[in-house]
């Protein structure tokens, strides 16, 4: 693995490095999806919580803001950052959703959703994708496409995870054709690249999507929990903050 890392271009974003590492790990283990059991477990947990979370959104004064905050809370299910994450910690994170520091530019997002004819939602992790459903359900039906990874990498969501979350009943689903834990556009399928080009609004979940798309000339809103000092410095928000923000261009 060190020999593999020694040959990588560290000017590339972290998901490029992660892609190479996890390709090698899958090769070495002979397991095409080493995190599958963990992904199934987190999908089940999130689905068990879904009715309760929907009720929180239904009773809130601002369902869009509440669903966005809960979707960001789901970003705690990131085994690239926390391989030892427990179900109790996921539940505790949900309980802290409205007390943790957050920066949510929801009015700007509301305006952009209202104007957009085509919305592309970039999913992040399994389990977390069930939380995304809360926010997706607050958007206009028929205008949203949800994209997942093309191949397994860490615990990132692939097509079967989106289907487990029931998203096929709400939106069109596409695979991005890539096994990077982010969105490296040149590595994605032509179908995905077409969806990306045609989108009036892109909503991107997670660190990996921020790390690969934050410099793009595109109308992109990022939703994630800031988990490292490097991204904290880049965004201007403290580590641990839950953010919904548009990239500075």
């Amino acid at each position: 693995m060190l020999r593999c890392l020694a040959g990588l271009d560290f000017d590339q974003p972290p998901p490029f490095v992660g892609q190479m590492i996890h390709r090698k790990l899958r090769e070495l283990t002979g397991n095409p999806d080493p995190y599958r059991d963990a992904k199934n477990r987190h999908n089940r947990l999130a689905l068990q919580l879904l009715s309760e979370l929907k009720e929180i959104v239904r009773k809130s004064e601002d369902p869009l803001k509440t669903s966005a905050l809960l979707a960001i809370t789901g970003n705690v299910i990131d085994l690239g950052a926390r391989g030892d994450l427990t179900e109790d910690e996921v539940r505790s994170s949900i309980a802290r959703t409205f007390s943790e520091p957050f920066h949510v530019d929801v009015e700007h997002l509301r305006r952009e959703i209202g104007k957009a004819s085509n919305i592309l939602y970039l999913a992040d992790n399994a389990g977390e994708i069930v939380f995304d459903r809360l926010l997706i359900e607050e958007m206009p039906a028929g205008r949203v496409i949800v994209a997942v990874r093309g191949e397994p990498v860490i615990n990132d969501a692939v097509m079967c995870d989106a289907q487990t979350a029931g998203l096929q009943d709400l939106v069109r689903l596409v695979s991005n054709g890539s096994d990077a834990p982010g969105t490296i556009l040149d590595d994605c399928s032509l179908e995905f690249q077409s969806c990306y080009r045609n989108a009036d609004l892109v909503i991107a979940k997670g660190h990996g999507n921020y790390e690969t798309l934050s410099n793009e000339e595109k109308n992109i809103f990022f939703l994630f929990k800031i988990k490292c000092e490097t991204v904290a410095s880049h965004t201007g928000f403290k580590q641990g903050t839950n953010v919904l923000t548009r990239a500075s261009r």
Side-chain angles (χ1 to χ4, degrees):
M1 188 59 70
L2 289 173
R3 283 194 295 270
C4 177
L5 287 169
L8 292 178
D9 178 3
F10 282 91
D11 288 333
Q12 295 289 337
F16 177 86
V17 179
Q19 179 186 43
M20 295 298 103
I21 290 172
H22 285 276
R23 278 181 180 175
K24 190 67 176 177
L25 287 172
R26 294 195 298 273
E27 175 190 331
L28 291 169
T29 62
N31 186 340
D33 193 357
Y35 289 77
R36 187 71 261 168
D37 287 347
K39 290 192 282 188
N40 290 341
R41 187 169 67 251
H42 287 134
N43 283 334
R44 286 194 298 270
L45 172 63
L47 287 168
Q48 290 168 8
L49 296 167
L50 185 58
S51 295
E52 175 187 339
L53 298 175
K54 281 188 172 185
E55 188 66 8
I56 293 171
V57 173
R58 188 187 71 80
K59 290 181 177 179
S60 70
E61 295 182 359
D62 189 340
L64 182 66
K65 180 178 179 180
T66 300
S67 61
L69 283 169
L70 288 169
I72 297 167
T73 293
N75 191 228
V76 72
I77 306 175
D78 180 356
L79 300 185
R82 278 286 313 278
D84 58 350
L85 181 73
T86 68
E87 293 187 6
D88 285 344
E89 286 173 312
V90 174
R91 293 177 185 274
S92 296
S93 184
I94 294 168
R96 298 192 305 271
T97 296
F98 304 103
S99 60
E100 287 187 330
F102 64 83
H103 172 86
V104 176
D105 190 1
V106 73
E107 293 307 322
H108 192 179
L109 178 63
R110 198 190 314 274
R111 290 194 299 271
E112 293 300 318
I113 290 173
K115 293 189 297 184
S117 298
N118 298 293
I119 301 170
L120 179 61
Y121 195 105
L122 307 182
D124 190 20
N125 297 312
E128 177 181 354
I129 198 169
V130 177
F131 290 71
D132 294 332
R133 178 174 170 166
L134 300 166
L135 180 54
I136 291 164
E137 288 179 338
E138 295 301 317
M139 299 182 198
R143 297 192 206 171
V144 182
I145 296 173
V146 173
V148 294
R149 309 292 186 235
E151 299 290 341
V153 57
I154 322 181
N155 67 316
D156 290 30
V158 293
M159 189 62 70
C160 64
D161 300 301
Q163 293 166 342
T164 297
L167 293 182
Q168 73 278 7
D169 299 326
L170 303 173
V171 297
R172 175 186 166 196
L173 299 175
V174 299
S175 159
N176 74 0
S178 170
D179 63 346
T183 303
I184 301 172
L185 292 171
D186 290 343
D187 193 52
C188 291
S189 66
L190 293 178
E191 179 188 21
F192 174 83
Q193 290 182 30
S194 176
C195 291
Y196 181 83
R197 286 194 305 270
N198 293 330
D200 306 307
L201 170 64
V202 177
I203 298 174
K205 281 297 296 293
H207 257 229
N209 283 326
Y210 180 82
E211 289 165 344
T212 46
L213 295 174
S214 58
N215 293 323
E216 281 291 308
E217 292 292 327
K218 190 76 175 174
N219 187 21
I220 307 179
F221 282 79
F222 297 94
L223 291 83
F224 62 102
K225 178 184 287 290
I226 297 176
K227 298 167 186 166
C228 70
E229 287 297 336
T230 301
V231 173
S233 176
H234 195 267
T235 60
F237 302 112
K238 292 182 179 180
Q239 186 172 344
T241 303
N242 294 329
V243 297
L244 161 60
T245 187
R246 191 167 180 265
S248 299
R249 293 182 297 179

